[in-house]
Amino acid sequence: MYETLDTFCAVLDEELERQATVLAVSKAQREAITARDFESIEARTIALEALIREAVQSEAERQCVLRKVVEHFDLPDERHTMSDLIEVVPEPYQSRLRDLQSELRRVMAEAREVVRANRRILQQSLRVVEQCVKALQQCDESVGARYDATGGERSRRSAGPALIDQKG
């Protein structure tokens, strides 16, 4: 059983490291967003996507090891939480799992806040871009209508408003 608990702790250590990397990349992404460094934004986004794929792939391994631990300690289905598991494992695993749980919670909460802040910044930037596009479209409607699809000037079929002198 100790080997399985060691494996479980190792798997959680890997996840903690991955989540800490997600946090660091998310912070770097925020810096790139505020600096309007589009290449860095794209690179950070690609890195985050890879980390998410990696986390999803490693979930199967975590679940397999967790299942072995839960079966060994004969925990009922409703008690398959980390807190319940910490209560039943012996020391030094109890302390180690408690520390991992605490650190995972802290890192993931901080990452969640950074991601939410990034989303707010990006949404605000998107609104500004949309307003600029609307302004450009309004300019385009008044100027762009003078040219046809080939870039040639359109012939005017109707005259615009004229100033008529109505003196006597």
Side-chain angles (χ1 to χ4, degrees), residues 28-147:
Q29 186 181 45
R30 179 178 50 199
E31 291 171 11
I33 291 168
T34 56
R36 292 176 178 79
D37 182 350
F38 300 111
E39 288 179 14
S40 289
I41 294 169
E42 184 176 1
R44 301 307 184 268
T45 302
I46 290 169
L48 284 171
E49 289 171 352
L51 287 164
I52 291 168
R53 276 193 303 277
E54 192 179 306
V56 169
Q57 290 170 349
S58 66
E59 178 69 17
E61 180 183 4
R62 281 193 306 277
Q63 290 299 321
C64 181
V65 176
L66 176 63
R67 203 171 13 263
K68 289 177 184 177
V69 173
V70 164
E71 287 173 4
H72 176 78
F73 290 102
D74 199 30
L75 289 175
D77 288 342
E78 66 275 0
R79 294 196 59 211
H80 288 192
T81 67
M82 184 73 120
S83 297
D84 289 329
L85 187 61
I86 290 169
E87 288 179 17
V88 297
V89 298
E91 284 293 349
Y93 298 102
Q94 192 174 55
S95 296
R96 188 169 175 200
L97 288 174
R98 189 176 293 115
D99 291 344
L100 282 166
Q101 179 188 40
S102 175
E103 193 61 15
L104 273 166
R105 282 180 175 166
R106 184 194 66 74
V107 168
M108 292 179 80
E110 188 176 349
R112 192 172 19 259
E113 287 306 310
V114 171
V115 167
R116 286 179 180 156
N118 289 355
R119 185 185 72 220
R120 284 190 299 271
I121 293 168
L122 286 171
Q123 286 173 334
Q124 183 178 0
S125 296
L126 181 60
R127 282 191 296 273
V128 169
V129 169
E130 287 172 345
Q131 290 171 349
C132 290
V133 168
K134 284 180 185 177
L136 287 172
Q137 284 174 336
Q138 289 173 351
C139 291
D140 185 49
E141 289 172 2
S142 63
V143 175
R146 294 183 195 164
Y147 301 99

